Amino acid sequence: MSAEPTVGRKIGDVILDVANVSLSFGGVRALNGVSFDVNEGEVRAIIGPNGAGKSSMLNCINGFYKPTEGMITFKGESHHQMETYESASQGIARTFQNIALFKGMTTLDNIMTGRNLQMKKNFLWQALYFGPALKEELENREVVEKVIDFLEIESIRKTVVGRLPYGLQKRVELARALAAEPDMLLLDEPMAGMNHEEKEDMCRYILDVNDEFGTTIVLIEHDMSVVMDISDRVVVLDYGEKIADGTPDEVRANQRVVDAYLGVQHD
Amino acid sequence: MFYREAGQFKSTYQTDQAIFPIVQDRWFMALVFIVAFVVIPLVADEYWHQAIIIPFLILALAAIGLNILTGYAGLVSLGTGAFMAVGAYSTYKMSTAFPDLNIIIIFLLSGVFAAMVGMVFGAPSLRIKGFYLAVATLAAQFFILWVFNKVEWFFNYSPSGTITAPPRELFGVLVTGPEASPVARYYVCLVFLVVFAFAAKNMARGRLGRSWMAIRDMDIAAEIIGIRPLQTKLSAFGISSFYCGVAGALYIFCWLGSAETEAFDILNVSFPVLFMVIIGGLGSVLGAILGAAFITLMPIFLTNAPPMIGIHLAADLQKHIEEIILGLMIITFLIVEPAGFNRLWQIAKEKIRKWPFPY
Ligand SMILES: Nc1ncnc2c1ncn2[C@@H]1O[C@H](COP(=O)(O)OP(=O)(O)O)[C@@H](O)[C@H]1O
Ligand SMILES: [Mg+2]
């Protein structure tokens, strides 16, 4: 991770602007005119009950779903007609609610795929595995090793990820996203299904990434104490609509939120 | 306790990334090379070359090609025979049209033609997967062979409809045609297999291989990382078909000598090569080679082993036994151990490493 560590946290201008986004699947309206923005260097949470449209929102942001209406602007560029594979080159990385690792590959290879866009040598060089191709491979390996150190997964480097326990898989997925050195990181329930200790570790990693590299973070999380602890601002979705937006304290005090979400028991 | 990484501490990522990081593996490879390049040509007679070793080398090359597509990129193909035929017919056309062009260059160019054809027929793979893709490649198989059969230009209007390898030399030695010695043809095939096996291994452990496996394992996540599905799948089709094309050229020019399209029939080539990949291990270069060795050796073994212990099988019974064994092995490997022989080899190495302790 070559980005210069910033001293202290610095919140910049708007990096992501979501304006009036709607998304429908046939009759189901997953998102309905949602607008919010994310500032550079911020930790922004999206919360809401199951089926509220949170994951769909992330999928719109990285171009996997195309909004039926509305506009998404990232770093000043509207990406209305974006192909899914373009989001990575714009500096967006993400993890998934249901882990989406490459099961048959080792931890190291999984994380190395995060460097794919930085690797340019053509297949003939790769077939030789020599000269520029080897140099490129080693340079990127070095970046990956820093991520591996950072997330403390050295011991599982050569393990096939399908055989890892759930908590570690989540960590490898984060590593793969970080290896791309993204400007913005989308995390879909990074702590779901973890025990208390694993959650604490994950929180620390997320805050460290944000702190040291200034990476903007948009995260979906169900554990309210976690959300309140680590996020700067929170968007609340319910049935595809935004019902609140503000600092954790403001959101907690909002009556609609209390009715729709906080009052309901989630596991 | 003798075979292990301990004490062989890797101080740099470069040594960790080496193709054979363990010293014993390097010794083993050196031994294999000595046997392949020195011992076999000295001891093998014409029967061994023609019946076992040369077809093994050529089919291993094709199996590596198919494994790139099916094992690494997860795209099932039944068109192997057709892509091999493209290589064979390209070589035939070029070597008869340009008799002075170096035969190795012709082999490689034929691979390039096969790669282009492979990419054309691989294009639907962006939309269709699994069983449907297999059917689409099956259609390609029938269509391509039909074209080679129907369009007489491809076999230079020969009345018999066959293509025959003309005699061509390399460094003053005949390597193709009926007069070429088995040893010369053996060396050509061996060098092709060695060079392209290493090239495949290198691609597989670099960016390209990771892209293929990423698309295979979870295409949506791969795309979100920035891996372009179409480009990646086409590169797998192209490179895989290149291997098959070169193998097809060798198949006619260094082995059969002359053939019709039937030699590339789905039952003669496409299925056996697919079985090699499944039995040897999906997604492994070594596996493809082991699978090819197994399938070329098994019939020979069944012919020779039973008489040694006093059992004499009728020829057709032996053929049936062969098919039954093959079928059982494929089912077993598909269900129990999709990583094939290669995985068994890894497990064996693991055991040797820990020996004499159980853990
Ligand atoms: N690919 C899809 N096809 C059809 N419906 C979908 C799809 N993705 C999400 N939905 C629907 O959109 C709504 C929001 O889902 P989602 O964004 O996953 O919610 P959340 O992440 O907040 O739990 C749900 O009603 C869900 O069934
Ligand atoms: Mg969700």
Side-chain angles (χ1 to χ4, degrees):
Chain A
M1 306 229 268
S2 61
E4 283 293 304
T6 43
V7 185
R9 293 186 68 221
K10 205 169 63 206
I11 308 290
D13 295 334
V14 172
I15 187 170
L16 174 77
D17 186 57
V18 176
N20 206 20
V21 163
S22 300
L23 176 72
S24 305
F25 298 102
V28 182
R29 214 159 164 76
L31 292 169
N32 199 355
V34 176
S35 302
F36 66 96
D37 59 15
V38 180
N39 294 325
E40 199 172 346
E42 187 177 33
V43 178
R44 189 77 148 116
I46 302 177
I47 64 170
N50 273 327
K54 307 179 296 295
S55 297
S56 301
M57 190 70 240
L58 291 196
N59 283 330
C60 287
I61 294 173
N62 70 1
F64 184 57
Y65 289 164
K66 317 274 179 272
T68 22
E69 264 171 68
M71 187 82 110
I72 294 174
T73 315
F74 181 64
K75 291 199 281 193
E77 260 177 69
S78 121
H79 56 202
H80 197 66
Q81 292 303 326
M82 186 176 71
E83 291 291 338
T84 309
Y85 59 77
E86 286 169 334
S87 77
S89 55
Q90 293 178 352
I92 303 177
R94 78 169 286 184
T95 65
F96 296 81
Q97 183 171 350
N98 310 309
I99 302 170
L101 284 169
F102 309 126
K103 294 256 180 322
M105 298 163 68
T106 62
T107 298
L108 180 62
D109 278 345
N110 264 278
I111 306 174
M112 283 293 284
T113 57
R115 300 297 300 167
N116 248 37
L117 285 176
Q118 276 70 31
M119 302 180 74
K120 304 271 189 263
K121 292 289 165 282
N122 68 28
F123 71 94
L124 290 174
W125 276 117
Q126 290 183 58
L128 293 171
Y129 209 84
F130 173 75
L134 182 59
K135 183 160 167 277
E136 182 181 74
E137 186 82 13
L138 293 175
E139 280 168 2
N140 285 287
R141 171 84 191 264
E142 224 148 282
V143 177
V144 164
E145 287 294 337
K146 282 190 187 135
V147 176
I148 288 177
D149 275 355
F150 179 77
L151 293 178
E152 301 166 292
I153 45 179
E154 296 91 342
S155 59
I156 55 165
R157 214 188 254 117
K158 299 274 169 89
T159 311
V160 173
V161 295
R163 297 199 208 125
L164 293 173
Y166 180 83
L168 276 179
Q169 291 199 10
K170 283 248 165 201
R171 216 188 283 183
V172 174
E173 206 190 15
L174 176 63
R176 184 181 66 187
L178 286 179
E181 299 178 288
D183 298 322
M184 186 168 75
L185 191 55
L186 311 176
L187 304 173
D188 198 342
E189 307 201 12
M191 287 161 247
M194 287 187 168
N195 63 32
H196 186 69
E197 197 180 326
E198 289 173 322
K199 275 187 187 178
E200 268 184 355
D201 283 343
M202 192 52 102
C203 275
R204 183 163 51 82
Y205 293 132
I206 292 170
L207 287 178
D208 281 353
V209 170
N210 175 253
D211 240 20
E212 288 186 33
F213 311 112
T215 311
T216 307
I217 288 169
V218 179
L219 107 152
I220 297 173
E221 186 46 56
H222 273 306
D223 187 324
M224 291 313 290
S225 64
V226 168
V227 171
M228 297 303 165
D229 268 2
I230 70 174
S231 47
D232 295 303
R233 288 190 297 158
V234 182
V235 181
V236 189
L237 298 182
D238 191 19
Y239 292 111
E241 309 218 12
K242 183 171 97 169
I243 57 169
D245 187 353
T247 63
D249 288 334
E250 287 166 1
V251 166
R252 206 187 335 233
N254 186 310
Q255 192 54 45
R256 283 185 76 185
V257 177
V258 175
D259 292 346
Y261 190 81
L262 298 177
V264 189
Q265 208 55 39
H266 283 272
D267 49 4
Chain B
M1 283 302 280
F2 296 105
Y3 176 82
R4 55 174 191 167
E5 294 103 332
Q8 302 178 20
F9 190 71
K10 319 282 191 313
S11 50
T12 65
Y13 298 134
Q14 175 151 11
T15 45
D16 188 44
Q17 312 251 93
I19 193 160
F20 300 114
I22 300 177
V23 164
Q24 286 85 344
D25 277 346
R26 290 200 286 275
W27 282 109
F28 182 71
M29 280 314 292
L31 191 69
V32 169
F33 277 115
I34 292 171
V35 169
F37 279 92
V38 183
V39 179
I40 288 181
L42 285 178
V43 301
D45 59 14
E46 173 147 12
Y47 168 76
W48 271 82
H49 276 301
Q50 192 62 21
I52 302 167
I53 305 174
I54 294 178
F56 153 68
L57 295 174
I58 295 171
L59 291 173
L61 187 62
I64 292 174
L66 182 62
N67 216 351
I68 287 175
L69 188 63
T70 302
Y72 285 102
L75 303 166
V76 181
S77 166
L78 293 176
T80 312
F83 300 136
M84 284 173 71
V86 173
Y89 279 80
S90 306
T91 297
Y92 178 67
K93 287 304 290 184
M94 279 190 281
S95 64
T96 48
F98 313 105
D100 295 326
L101 192 56
N102 183 301
I103 190 72
I104 299 299
I105 293 177
I106 292 180
F107 284 155
L108 295 175
L109 284 176
S110 303
V112 174
F113 277 121
M116 293 192 293
V117 173
M119 287 197 278
V120 169
F121 285 95
S125 65
L126 186 66
R127 292 266 171 268
I128 53 177
K129 292 178 190 171
F131 175 72
Y132 297 96
L133 181 62
V135 172
T137 55
L138 188 62
Q141 163 87 23
F142 287 126
F143 175 73
I144 291 171
L145 291 193
W146 177 80
V147 168
F148 285 141
N149 230 342
K150 275 282 170 264
V151 183
E152 298 180 11
W153 178 80
F154 282 113
F155 45 87
N156 287 354
Y157 308 98
S158 90
S160 62
T162 57
I163 56 173
T164 304
R168 294 287 177 263
E169 292 183 353
L170 193 65
F171 309 120
V173 179
L174 266 183
V175 293
T176 68
E179 305 288 306
S181 76
V183 172
R185 292 184 280 121
Y186 166 78
Y187 272 119
V188 171
C189 296
L190 178 65
V191 170
F192 266 101
L193 178 63
V194 169
V195 168
F196 284 104
F198 274 99
K201 181 78 194 158
N202 285 343
M203 285 187 280
R205 67 205 177 109
R207 170 179 60 86
L208 207 50
R210 289 190 294 266
S211 311
W212 292 334
M213 291 186 279
I215 288 281
R216 172 196 71 190
D217 284 352
M218 184 70 72
D219 51 357
I220 292 166
E223 200 174 347
I224 280 164
I225 279 173
I227 295 171
R228 309 175 116 192
L230 183 61
Q231 268 187 1
T232 307
K233 289 179 180 179
L234 287 188
S235 74
F237 262 102
I239 292 170
S240 160
S241 304
F242 175 91
Y243 276 71
C244 293
V246 173
L250 295 172
Y251 190 70
I252 300 301
F253 278 68
C254 291
W255 186 44
L256 291 180
S258 77
E260 299 169 42
T261 51
E262 209 198 306
F264 297 102
D265 198 77
I266 181 152
L267 294 177
N268 286 330
V269 177
S270 299
F271 274 122
V273 174
L274 183 61
F275 296 159
M276 290 172 194
V277 170
I278 292 171
I279 288 179
L282 289 163
S284 149
V285 173
L286 178 65
I289 297 172
L290 294 178
F294 180 81
I295 289 194
T296 36
L297 282 175
M298 190 181 59
I300 314 280
F301 175 80
L302 285 182
T303 314
N304 294 307
M308 276 181 214
I309 52 171
I311 302 172
H312 293 274
L313 300 172
D316 56 342
L317 179 60
Q318 183 200 321
K319 186 84 194 140
H320 290 315
I321 294 179
E322 206 179 298
E323 280 161 8
I324 291 168
I325 292 181
L326 196 62
L328 285 177
M329 292 201 58
I330 289 165
I331 293 169
T332 316
F333 275 120
L334 277 180
I335 295 171
V336 182
E337 185 56 81
F341 274 155
N342 180 55
R343 177 80 191 124
L344 299 181
W345 170 242
Q346 303 296 339
I347 292 172
K349 287 211 296 188
E350 197 87 341
K351 290 255 151 62
I352 301 172
R353 189 177 313 181
K354 285 166 184 159
W355 186 85
F357 307 109
Y359 296 104

